[in-house]
Amino acid sequence: MTDERIPLVGRAEELLTIQGALLDDVLPGHAAAVFLTGESGIGKSRLLREAGERLREAGALVLTGSCLDVGDASPLHPLRQALRRFEAELTAAQVRTSSAVRRLLQIFDDETRGPDGAAALLEQVARGLDLVAGGQPLVLIFDDLQWADRSTRQLLLYLLAGLGDLQLGVLAAIRAESLQDTHPLRRVLTELRRLRSVQVLALAPLDRANTERLATAIVGGLPAPEAAELIWQRSGGNPLVIEELARDLRDGREGALSDTLRELFLARVDALPQAVRAVVHAVAAGVEPVEHWLLAQVVRLPEEQLTEVVRKAVAHRLLVGSEAGYRLRHRMVAEVLAHELLPSERAALHRRYAEALTSATGELHQARLAHHWRLAGEPARALPAAMAAAREAERLHGYAEAHRHWSVALQLAEGLSRSHTRFEVDRAEILTHAAETAHLSGEHARALVLLGELTTIVRRPATSALHIRRARYLAAAGRSAPAEEEYRVALAALDCTPRERATAAAHLAELLLQLGRYAEAGDQAREALRLVAEADGAISDLVLASAALGFSEAFLADPEAGLALMRRALEIAERAGRPEDVACAYLHLAELLTGPLNILEEGVVVARRGGERVAELGLGRTWETRLLAIAANGLFRVGQWAEAEKVVAAALRHRPSGADAVELLLARCRLSVGYGDVAAADRDLEAVATMLAGGGDRHVVPMLILRAGLAMWQGRHDLARQAVQRGLTESRSDDVIVLASLAWHGLRAEAEAWASRTVEVDPNAVRRLREVVDRVAAKSRKAAAPVRFVAEAFLALCAAELSRLDDGRGDPELWAHAAAEWDQRNHPYPAAYSRLRQAEALLARRSRSATAAKLLRRAYEMAQQLGAVPLTSEIRTLAGRARVELAERPQPADGPGATRTEPVSDELAVLTAREREVLAAVAEGLTNKEIGQRLFISERTVGVHVSHIFDKLQVRTRVQASAIYLRNRRELGRDRS
């Protein structure tokens, strides 16, 4: 049974069609009908109930009944049932209507009719319904019409021919799989379809988005991506199946098959003729789509008979046919039928599939062959096919699929070795490929486990090649410290060949670059290039070393030469075509442009283009995720936060792990801190801290900077101080920009502590931070000009924060300098912050209040455009104390009819792009949770956006905000027309 509290999902269009066809578009004296068809569980009955409620609210008299599967033994049963239900709902005051209902029921009980009894009965029923309606539009709703008796079918034909002054609508649901062969209702529908007033709506399964919405409503929260994917795959969009699977998930029975679903599908299969059942069983055992020729060899039926049998299976809504072959409409059928065959019957089916595929001409389907031989109980024949399928998947860059095949091969090999057969199995080869494909598909922890197994079967001590491979997997898992140690062990090993030494040196240079140790990375890269030249090393080593050296040169000395070297590395990688080399070259080029060189727009373009390219090469879950994180960080810096959110949401769909996930979580956390979504930011920081086992500066220091920023917005200046001091202790990076950012956060925390009087200023911390500022200034003078350009802007912030600590008020000139520096670099957030502090310093000196007011307005405008809620709030607080009116904003709208004097086209100009998207969803009537699911952001973040929208539009309710949005949309439509 469907839970009444579960919302109706994905049927808005059908509800509008029903109301329009049965009520809005029907004139008095006319009749109309809508017949809903669809398979069992598709939601026909649920839609009937919802439509009935809406039609009642619209002023119609609605009578509802259901047909019984008892033939013609109960004439006009659904109408009788509907009238009795209606009579039970009538009150004592509705005497006239109650009398009309009783008279009509009495007509049904009168069995003394003449030769024209059927026609007379229909005429009497028509007049009786007219009296019951009493001038109201009347809608009859009948469920399970496929079981309608003859008199009910006749009544429908009679009523829809016209009833004088009665405005009549008929809404009925029909189970599509029941209308087979010569079912009498098929003839009735054929007759009725000729009428313009009759519509047949075939209910389709829910799409993926609505499947997830329905599951979310039942579970009580957004399911994990894996669970959502499983529900979608198993349900095929059938609402009843979705509900059962979601309840199982909610109640901790995930993966189980409920009795309700089992009985639902078994009943449908058991009702089939024997030959049709055999075909369904065969398709359920096959790998979809099952081609017609293959099915013919498996079920061994003559061609004509097979075609007729398949047609019946399709008509019963169990199979779906296409040019590619046959599929089960619901994969649940396969799960149900798997328990209905004896083991020997299942093995025989799979053997017939394997034999047919083996004897087929043309391309050999190795993956399917391995699957069927394995389930047929022939591991010795399945293993070569599984390995061949894995190699083919590798060749096509399908690393996740290749890993699945190698894993199957590993299981088969282990089984064969235990059975003591003479079959020769190279488990080392299988483990090597399984580990590498696990790494390439983003399963870094699994790769390390498999590599550990490989190490146990290598008879001599671990080779340099194994150390290099383990280091690569450790680095990808975010464990940079043990990864560096493994590379150095490989380089020091006596058995390390010249080519292996070149490989270890190139990868170590790339790792040092990731850790921000640019000088070491450059030295190591030069050594790697020397080794590559001497040993005629691999192209991959040349690409990695060139990219590391180019980054180091660009940061420390010559940006143009460094960029040229990195672009050259990308060209070499593209020509060679090795996916990881292409990805690495794109990654470091995008990092350099969006980071030290501050060429943000180009860097974002390179990151996004690189993401698309590596996705084509099968590295979407790993390298594309990192590249999208870089793009999001670049967009954040230039103030395009809404676009950055979209990029992060797209990357999250890959469900990354290891260092890839850390990069993305840090990017999302940066947005959450800016937006003021404390809970979301804290969750991401906790997740990053948990995932970083042995992580280096690349992740730890940015995490601590974000922790400090979040703590300051929470008023926890002591926690901010601790995070900064820990970062100063742990940092070994040459990146003066990261160090300058860390110093600014530390000085800001001390200044905020002094201003709030909540925490004592720590003189030792301030002294240490001054030393860091001096060290950054000295280092930046030796760095390349673009690096110095960005570092100087952070140093300007540091100097201004120190002025707050020195005199308690801050130097307006220093803050003006900081604002100008960040304006010049196109970073709106620190520029807005600097203007806030400049205004604060001016007001503290009680001078140039007009300038302070102008600065606050400008800062307020910038913060609002970003969506930076905490910064906006602080600006508003200072403006309130100084009695500064921040901006001319729209007056409250009291409703849809509210009038305004200013141009409506300007009303939404104060909103960011993301806020307009949220407002559009609010205007649709979506809840915060539904908006979050649509836009792939958290419910709490949606709440932040909604609050910001209310503040900007000066409204108090969602209705008022929706009215402004709809008014502007209508006005825009008029302008375009």
Side-chain angles (χ1 to χ4, degrees), residues 324-486:
Y326 305 113
R327 299 176 182 272
L328 292 173
R329 185 175 287 270
H330 303 287
R331 286 305 304 167
M332 294 288 296
V333 174
E335 296 181 47
V336 171
L337 296 184
H339 302 284
E340 298 306 308
L341 293 176
L342 295 172
S344 59
E345 292 176 306
R346 286 198 300 273
L349 264 178
H350 288 292
R351 180 178 294 278
R352 290 206 293 271
Y353 266 115
E355 290 170 347
L357 288 167
T358 302
S359 62
T361 58
E363 183 182 355
L364 197 60
H365 305 274
Q366 297 288 1
R368 298 166 75 179
L369 198 58
H371 169 77
H372 289 302
W373 278 130
R374 180 171 61 86
L375 294 179
E378 296 278 0
R381 304 179 76 173
L383 179 57
M387 294 174 68
R391 291 192 182 97
E392 178 63 12
E394 283 185 25
R395 187 180 68 81
L396 298 174
H397 307 308
Y399 299 115
E401 181 183 354
H403 178 59
R404 286 195 297 271
H405 291 314
W406 284 119
S407 297
V408 169
L410 188 60
Q411 293 173 356
L412 291 168
E414 290 173 349
L416 287 169
S417 64
R418 284 196 299 269
S419 63
H420 304 292
T421 67
R422 296 179 181 178
F423 195 87
E424 292 294 329
V425 179
D426 188 350
R427 288 190 67 235
E429 180 193 4
I430 297 174
L431 280 167
T432 298
H433 283 281
E436 185 65 11
T437 51
H439 163 68
L440 292 173
S441 62
E443 297 291 342
H444 308 303
R446 173 67 176 159
L448 285 165
V449 170
L450 291 169
L451 191 63
E453 292 183 31
L454 178 62
T455 305
T456 62
I457 65 173
V458 174
R459 299 190 177 180
R460 57 196 177 92
T463 64
S464 297
L466 283 176
H467 283 298
I468 293 170
R469 190 181 291 267
R470 178 173 168 77
R472 287 173 54 231
Y473 300 169
L474 286 168
R479 300 168 61 186
S480 54
E484 180 181 354
E485 183 180 346
E486 288 285 339

Side-chain angles (χ1 to χ4, degrees), residues 12 39 70 93 146 154 191 240 468 492 703 796:
E39 62 183 351
V70 292
Q146 71 276 358
Q154 292 174 336
E191 290 294 324
L240 175 61
I468 293 170
M703 177 190 71

